Amino acid sequence: MSLFAELKRRNVFRVGIAYLIGAWLLMQIADVVLNNISAPDWVFKSIMLLMGIGLPLALFFAWAFELTPDGVKRESEVDRSQSIRRETGLKLNRGIIIILVLALAYFVWESRFAEEAGSEPFSQETAGQTTDVGGKRALTPVANQSVAVLPFVNMSSDPEQEYFSDGITEEIINALVKIPGLSVPARTSVFGFKGQQGDVRKIGEQLSVAHVLEGSIRSQGDQVRITAQLIKVDDGFHLWSETFDRKLDNIFVVQEEIATAIATILTGELGLGVKTVPNQTTNMEAYDSYLQGRALLHKRGLDNLGRAVGLFKRTTELDPEFAPGWAAMALTYSVMDNTQELLEKTISTAKHALSLDPKNVDALDALASALRDSWRWAEAEPYFEQAMAIDPQSSELLEDYAEFLCMVGRFDEHLAVSEQGYAIDPLLGPLVDTYVVALTEKGQYSKAIEVIEQWNKSISDEQFVLWWHEPLWKMVPLMAS
């Protein structure tokens, strides 16, 4: 008899299904009860751990033992001609149906009653008031000290230089984000407008910012020309414009000059008191390789990620002290797969980056995420907290931290953090995904459907990516009906 047939005969599959459904239902009920009595987080974590340990034990007992009219006996001691496993299987089938009915009843109860009690509006302290502008999620009210950096146009004769203009745009965003009091939309949101020739004022309204920075980049040999202009959204007037003709080895100085100019105009701060472009390299070949790798990292896909790793290795070979190169390599490893080998590579690479720059948020995020996925939760949390203290506006960091909170069963915090991240970057797919999961955990199905619909409106069919919880997205409307 084949292994599959033997597993079926011994009711191992039925026991596994019954156990999983029953454990899920028990955890949902425990979550409601423990929240109402304000039980500490470790109680729910303990229940979750026990349920996880219990599954392999249940499968082992289903395989090794059999329930007979004379009690439980080892399977090897039971005469197959007198076995009642068939009758036991029918009883398990009825039990599974009963548990499914109870689970359905729980869904109905939670969608009809718990949603109204558990639903809360966005906290303006963490996420701000939201509105729907042009079919996209946006933040309001618009702060005067807000600016969106649209993707700089590649004016070089070589279209392959697109990675360079995109990379410099991202670097300018990262520089502006470091300025206190300045609100800057995330990369994902602004790059959604790449290649569009629409009215800058309308784009600014959709991004809910008071100002827009746009420009162009032309590079040839070791020379680069960067043109930038700051536009006021409400009237379309230019507040500032500048053209920078420099050698590539002065590219970091240009980034700082642009950030300083924007900060001076919008916040009135002449002395920023912060290093807007840290970890500079004097090796422009290393920097070029770094920007190419970052472009591939954003595209995802195993081929692109594999090429990105090669480029980051080249970067670190050319400049072993360039911390962003090591951090970007660690991030690439962390999104490739969760194999033990890649997790260990992520951890070692991120730690090396942190030895060069202890405050590198990408390295902290990659290290914390790898420890999270290795189930080393106690070690992961301090790194997440350290990264959050440095850059609480990073949407990628908020997404990774939210997934950590979900894994450890801190569902209230999971909702708060994913909600905060969604308010900052409503077009980041994995962040939208974890926010939908957080809403369904709390029974807020109508809100989850609204988020899914907003996401579908905000991207084209070509951009759509099926995330890990795609089956859940299909189930949410059924839960709410």
Side-chain angles (χ1 to χ4, degrees), residues 3 36 59 102 129-130 173 187-188 205 219 240 269 283 292 337 345 352 357 386 395 434-435 445 448 460 479:
L3 176 62
N36 287 333
L59 296 178
L102 291 174
Q129 185 64 30
T130 61
I173 293 173
R187 179 194 186 280
T188 314
E205 289 172 1
S219 62
W240 169 84
E269 295 287 343
N283 190 317
Q292 290 184 59
D337 206 342
K345 282 185 177 180
H352 184 74
D357 177 17
Q386 187 178 347
S395 53
T434 195
Y435 184 37
Y445 303 122
S460 65
M479 298 176 185

Side-chain angles (χ1 to χ4, degrees), residues 272-473:
L272 299 178
V274 294
K275 184 70 172 177
T276 56
V277 188
N279 297 301
Q280 301 177 13
T281 178
T282 57
N283 190 317
M284 288 300 102
E285 187 179 352
Y287 188 61
D288 187 74
S289 179
Y290 170 74
L291 292 182
Q292 290 184 59
R294 294 288 304 192
L296 292 170
L297 172 58
H298 288 304
K299 289 180 181 180
R300 296 296 197 263
L302 286 179
D303 288 342
N304 289 329
L305 294 174
R307 290 165 58 200
V309 168
L311 287 164
F312 292 136
K313 285 182 177 179
R314 175 67 174 160
T315 299
T316 55
E317 288 170 359
L318 292 167
D319 188 352
E321 301 302 310
F322 187 45
W326 292 101
M329 192 191 308
L331 274 179
T332 307
Y333 283 139
S334 71
V335 298
M336 290 180 74
D337 206 342
N338 281 344
T339 64
Q340 189 60 38
E341 180 183 359
L342 284 173
L343 289 172
E344 291 300 326
K345 282 185 177 180
T346 303
I347 292 170
S348 61
T349 307
K351 285 184 175 180
H352 184 74
L354 291 172
S355 71
L356 299 171
D357 177 17
K359 293 185 178 180
N360 189 293
V361 172
D362 285 346
L364 289 167
D365 186 12
L367 177 56
S369 298
L371 291 171
R372 175 201 64 194
D373 294 338
S374 301
W375 302 86
R376 294 157 64 177
W377 296 338
E379 295 178 59
E381 185 162 25
Y383 291 109
F384 274 127
E385 291 175 344
Q386 187 178 347
M388 288 288 293
I390 297 171
D391 188 4
Q393 299 301 309
S394 169
S395 53
E396 290 89 352
L397 171 60
L398 288 165
E399 183 259 326
D400 288 330
Y401 186 40
E403 289 187 358
F404 165 81
L405 294 169
C406 179
M407 290 178 70
V408 299
R410 288 152 58 178
F411 299 124
D412 289 336
E413 293 173 76
H414 178 209
L415 177 59
V417 171
S418 59
E419 187 175 58
Q420 179 185 350
Y422 178 73
I424 294 170
D425 196 353
L427 299 183
L428 182 60
L431 184 55
V432 176
D433 184 51
T434 195
Y435 184 37
V436 169
V437 173
L439 289 169
T440 55
E441 284 168 352
K442 305 305 291 183
Q444 299 182 33
Y445 303 122
S446 298
K447 186 70 173 179
I449 292 173
E450 178 186 337
V451 171
I452 294 171
E453 290 174 347
Q454 290 293 338
W455 164 255
N456 289 331
K457 289 179 184 178
S458 301
I459 60 172
S460 65
D461 292 337
E462 291 79 12
Q463 292 173 303
F464 186 74
V465 178
L466 296 179
W467 306 105
W468 289 111
H469 295 100
E470 184 259 347
L472 174 63
W473 286 36

